[in-house]
């Protein structure tokens, strides 16, 4: 865009207007990100036991979760960690998982040992899923592992208890590798259920050796067998039932990485998208009777637009073009095609005008998310990037931010995000949330064998915002899957929903964020709760945190 400047020159008997078109208009102000992790004493690094033999799961390390574990109004951070290989033991503190409590001054205190979350009895951990499975008002943790998975109950006093065996969730085969998981209420009974990616069968003893001459490298995932995801039905009172077979999920093996939960067909039942590594992606459509139908091929998400299955990594599902239908994004390794899939109602298509494919070609993406970083009302795409490792001379990479231009196309604004954002490494997990409660989304990113970055949004775009805390009563307390339609005073319509499982191995803040651009008034908020209740609020002010309780009866 260019600014037209008119000069009026006084001549005898006339005015002459000369238009000068050469002066460019000012660019809109873009916020950036500043790493505040150095302000705190953080001993944690994402330790994948580097050196020596290349064990297959080593590149998948560094899951992260943002959640308020003690309900003090400030988001805290949890990290998963690896283990010594081939022993599969957290042999010393450098392999422990980590819980950071946020202090009032914005710094973080390591309270892992006090909370009982070191995980010293676990093995090589990957993803973390946050969810209040017993509706007691405190967020619980499920941790994925190469061997044993773990369910930790939040006791509400700053401590957690490992309840894996007593819950019925600990019964998976010991040689299955679980990468990611997500909580959601698939049967709308008000209790959160759990789906777990079961990537393959693997132990250090069955690890395959791949080399070219004297150079060892990680084996192609296609050499490993695919495994179906597992679904655990919440029976209440802390008990779960494995319903993988009866739900129909057992018929669809894959190599699950990212998990995204959303009601893709707007029928009131939450569906599941799984990004599968080197396998066709899965889209499990909830039939509303306790079963799922895998329809990835039919609905256009199984393969990329070249009819190939790539190294699908992290995924997110949000409505990026504000048309009322939830879209899908997942990323791939360098040279493959990152996919933005637009939901047309009965089919997902590739919006070539978005330019995502061309923008992403130089990068290997792992975690990601739709994040309205500049509060303009359009969800942008962030990707945590990095090659598998430095084998074969692969170089570290910086992350990317693709800014959404009115739901039609994207531009790469990474270079304007600041030097901390542009840190080069082998990034893995990422989670999003408003860490300092200023209305702008921040992020936490892990990198292999480095300290994490806590990237605070400078929040200087000048745009307005609204953040909702939804509390279910007939629905599960976390209200995962609740859909929000926001209409501004000018008539602009925006959409979002409660989603915690985001990206790769990670969980984000459950609060629902809306950027509003220059709008300061919301004429209506329509909330569709998982229970079926529809709630409407009128005349809401911008720039506030708003807690909304689900009505006890349908409105």
């Amino acid at each position: 865009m260019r600014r037209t400047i008119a000069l009026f020159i006084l001549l005898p008997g006339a005015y002459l207007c000369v238009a000068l078109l050469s002066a460019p208009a000012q660019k809109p102000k873009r916020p950036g990100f500043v790493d505040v992790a150095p302000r705190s004493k953080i001993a944690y690094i994402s330790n994948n036991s580097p050196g020596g033999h290349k064990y297959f799961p080593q590149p998948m390390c560094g899951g992260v979760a943002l959640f308020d574990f003690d309900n003090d109004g400030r988001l805290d951070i949890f990290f998963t960690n690896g283990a010594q290989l081939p022993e599969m033991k957290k042999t010393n503190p450098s392999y422990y998982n980590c819980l950071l409590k946020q202090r009032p001054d914005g710094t973080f205190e390591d309270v892992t040992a006090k909370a009982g979350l070191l995980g010293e009895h676990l093995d090589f951990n990957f993803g973390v899923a946050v969810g209040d499975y017993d509706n007691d008002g405190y967020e619980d943790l499920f941790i994925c592992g190469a061997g044993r998975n773990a369910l930790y109950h939040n006791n509400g006093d700053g401590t957690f208890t490992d309840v894996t065996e007593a819950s019925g969730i600990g019964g998976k085969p010991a040689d299955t590798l679980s990468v990611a998981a997500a909580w959601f209420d698939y049967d709308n009974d008000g209790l959160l259920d759990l789906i777990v990616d079961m990537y393959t069968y693997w132990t250090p003893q069955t690890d395959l050796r791949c080399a070219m001459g004297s150079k060892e490298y990680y084996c192609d995932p296609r050499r490993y067998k695919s495994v179906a995801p597992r679904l655990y039905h919440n029976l209440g009172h802390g008990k779960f039932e494995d319903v993988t077979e009866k739900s129909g999920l057992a018929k669809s093996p894959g190599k699950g990485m990212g998990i995204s939960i959303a009601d893709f067909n707007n029928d009131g039942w939450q569906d599941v998208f799984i990004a599968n590594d080197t396998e066709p992606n899965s889209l499990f459509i909830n039939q509303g009777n306790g079963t799922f139908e895998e329809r990835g091929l039919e609905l256009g998400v199984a393969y990329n637009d070249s009819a190939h299955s790539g190294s699908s990594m992290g995924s997110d599902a949000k409505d990026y073009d504000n048309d009322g239908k939830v879209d899908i994004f997942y990323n791939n390794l360098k040279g493959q095609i990152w996919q933005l899939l637009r939901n047309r109602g009965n089919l997902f298509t590739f919006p070539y005008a978005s330019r995502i494919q061309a923008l992403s070609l130089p990068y290997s993406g792992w975690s990601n998310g739709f994040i309205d970083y500049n509060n303009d009302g359009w969800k942008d795409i962030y990707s945590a990037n990095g090659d598998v490792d430095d084998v074969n001379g692969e170089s570290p990479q910086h992350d990317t931010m693709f800014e959404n231009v009115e739901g039609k196309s994207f531009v790469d604004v990474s270079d304007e995000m600041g030097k901390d954002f542009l840190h080069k490494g082998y990034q893995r997990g990422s989670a999003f949330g408003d860490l300092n409660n200023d209305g702008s989304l921040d992020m936490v990113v892990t990198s292999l064998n480095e300290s994490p970055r806590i990237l605070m949004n400078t929040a200087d775009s000048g745009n307005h915002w609204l953040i909702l805390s939804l509390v279910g009563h007939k629905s599960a307390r976390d209200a995962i899957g609740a859909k929000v339609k926001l209409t501004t005073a000018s008539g602009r319509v925006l959409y979002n929903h409660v989603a915690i499982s985001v990206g790769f191995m990670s969980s984000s803040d459950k609060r629902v964020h809306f950027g509003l651009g220059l709008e300061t008034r919301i004429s209506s908020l329509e909330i569709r709760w998982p229970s079926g209740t529809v709630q409407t609020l009128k005349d809401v002010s911008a720039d506030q945190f708003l807690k909304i309780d689900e009505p006890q009866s349908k409105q």
Side-chain angles (χ1 to χ4, degrees):
M1 181 182 296
R2 305 185 74 83
R3 183 190 297 129
T4 299
I5 301 176
L7 297 182
F8 292 89
I9 302 174
L10 183 62
L11 296 177
Y15 287 95
L16 176 63
C17 179
V18 181
L20 302 180
L21 300 178
S22 59
Q26 284 188 331
K27 292 182 179 180
K29 190 175 180 74
R30 290 190 171 104
F33 293 87
V34 177
D35 184 10
V36 300
R39 294 177 52 202
S40 305
K41 294 180 181 179
I42 301 174
Y44 169 88
I45 65 167
S46 304
N47 191 343
N48 72 342
S49 188
H53 174 61
K54 300 287 187 183
Y55 288 96
F56 180 71
Q58 280 177 302
M60 298 181 288
C61 183
V64 55
L66 292 185
F67 72 123
D68 183 3
F69 83 92
D70 53 357
N71 289 347
D72 66 354
R74 294 181 294 271
L75 289 179
D76 310 298
I77 310 172
F78 179 78
F79 300 101
T80 67
N81 216 341
Q84 182 68 46
L85 295 171
E87 295 84 0
M88 289 279 282
K89 300 290 185 182
K90 295 187 183 293
T91 52
N92 59 63
S94 69
Y95 292 105
Y96 288 167
N97 299 329
C98 178
L99 177 65
L100 300 179
K101 172 181 169 58
Q102 186 177 176
R103 302 185 182 103
D105 65 358
T107 61
F108 291 85
E109 174 189 3
D110 189 330
V111 297
T112 318
K114 186 188 306 183
L117 288 175
L118 292 173
E120 65 269 38
H121 61 295
L122 302 178
D123 47 53
F124 202 112
N125 293 137
F126 302 109
V128 52
V130 173
D132 181 5
Y133 72 83
D134 57 352
N135 291 328
D136 67 351
Y138 290 91
E139 300 298 316
D140 310 300
L141 295 176
F142 179 83
I143 300 173
C144 299
R148 182 180 185 268
N149 294 334
L151 176 63
Y152 284 95
H153 177 257
N154 188 335
N155 300 318
D157 59 0
T159 68
F160 291 76
T161 300
D162 187 337
V163 296
T164 312
E165 299 307 321
S167 70
I169 281 181
K172 72 145 180 156
D175 61 344
T176 50
L177 191 157
S178 306
V179 173
W183 294 99
F184 73 126
D185 184 4
Y186 79 89
D187 55 352
N188 289 344
D189 66 352
L191 296 170
L192 291 182
D193 312 298
L194 182 72
I195 186 168
V196 184
D197 277 345
M198 311 296 281
Y199 185 101
T200 190
Y201 298 99
W202 180 88
T203 67
Q205 292 71 40
T206 61
D207 190 73
L208 301 176
R209 300 288 195 270
C210 294
M212 184 176 295
S214 61
K215 188 76 171 181
E216 188 173 348
Y217 58 92
Y218 294 109
C219 291
D220 190 311
R222 286 169 290 194
R223 296 191 60 182
Y224 286 89
K225 186 177 180 180
S226 300
V227 184
R230 296 186 91 84
L231 181 63
Y232 298 94
H233 179 224
N234 191 337
L235 303 174
H237 307 290
K239 301 295 183 181
F240 292 81
E241 176 191 6
D242 188 333
V243 294
T244 306
E245 293 286 343
K246 68 170 65 173
S247 68
L249 293 185
K251 297 183 293 185
S252 302
K255 292 187 174 74
M257 299 284 266
I259 303 181
S260 298
I261 306 296
D263 181 6
F264 292 106
N265 55 1
N266 281 326
D267 66 352
W269 300 93
Q270 294 176 64
D271 312 304
V272 181
F273 172 81
I274 296 181
N276 287 314
D277 190 1
T278 70
E279 301 277 351
N281 301 315
S282 303
L283 182 52
F284 294 102
I285 298 299
N286 193 330
Q287 302 301 294
N289 59 4
T291 68
F292 290 82
E293 182 180 351
E294 202 293 295
R295 297 177 59 192
L297 180 61
E298 174 189 348
L299 294 176
V301 305
Y303 299 97
N304 63 26
D305 58 348
S306 297
H308 294 117
S309 54
S311 301
S312 303
M313 299 296 193
S315 67
D316 195 10
K318 297 281 173 57
D319 182 1
Y320 82 90
D321 55 355
N322 288 322
D323 66 352
K325 296 181 284 291
V326 180
D327 311 297
I328 295 171
F329 173 78
Y330 65 91
N331 48 18
N332 275 302
L333 294 182
K334 182 169 62 177
Q336 299 181 16
I337 301 174
W338 294 11
Q339 294 292 265
L340 178 64
L341 300 166
R342 186 182 180 195
N343 189 344
R344 300 283 188 170
N346 58 0
L347 184 70
F348 287 82
T349 60
F350 309 105
Y352 293 103
S354 71
R355 302 181 64 240
I356 289 296
Q357 288 92 336
L359 293 173
S360 65
L361 279 176
Y363 302 102
S364 291
W366 291 77
S367 194
N368 58 61
F370 286 109
I371 166 177
D372 183 2
Y373 85 98
N374 58 357
N375 281 345
D376 67 351
W378 298 103
K379 300 175 188 68
D380 313 297
I381 294 177
Y382 163 82
S383 179
N385 302 327
D387 275 315
V388 177
D389 73 349
D390 60 356
V391 69
N392 297 327
E394 293 171 329
S395 300
Q397 297 181 352
H398 64 71
D399 298 340
T400 46
M401 183 72 77
F402 297 155
E403 186 176 292
N404 187 337
V405 183
E406 298 183 346
K408 299 173 184 176
S409 65
F410 290 79
V411 293
D412 188 343
V413 297
S414 309
D415 288 345
E416 300 180 48
M417 297 296 99
K419 64 180 180 60
D420 294 338
F421 181 94
L422 293 171
H423 166 80
K424 289 187 177 181
Y426 300 93
Q427 277 71 250
R428 290 303 182 259
S430 67
F432 313 100
D434 186 358
L435 283 162
N436 57 353
N437 291 329
D438 66 352
S440 293
L441 292 179
D442 314 299
M443 62 180 78
V444 178
V445 187
T446 62
S447 303
L448 291 183
N449 302 300
E450 292 190 70
S451 298
R453 285 174 295 153
I454 303 174
L455 294 171
M456 303 298 293
N457 194 319
T458 58
D460 53 2
S461 69
N463 290 327
H464 299 279
W465 52 274
L466 180 71
I467 294 181
L468 307 177
S469 295
L470 302 185
V471 180
H473 294 285
K474 295 178 66 179
S475 304
R477 185 177 179 85
D478 280 349
I480 294 172
K483 295 181 281 190
V484 184
K485 176 183 178 181
L486 181 153
T487 305
T488 69
S490 70
R492 186 181 183 190
V493 181
L494 308 174
Y495 296 88
N496 210 341
H497 64 275
V498 180
I500 296 179
S501 173
V502 175
F504 176 61
M505 304 190 303
S506 301
S507 294
S508 289
D509 183 8
K510 66 180 180 178
R511 296 178 295 182
V512 181
H513 171 266
F514 284 96
L516 299 173
L518 300 179
E519 305 266 5
T520 59
R521 302 293 301 178
I522 295 101
S523 64
S524 70
L525 285 173
E526 180 186 277
I527 304 163
R528 293 185 174 270
W529 297 86
S531 66
T533 298
V534 179
Q535 181 180 10
T536 303
L537 283 70
K538 299 287 189 180
D539 194 23
V540 176
S541 299
D543 303 328
Q544 66 166 316
F545 293 86
L546 186 60
K547 178 184 175 184
I548 303 175
D549 283 272
E550 179 183 20
Q552 296 295 328
S553 59
K554 291 188 176 182
Q555 293 188 341

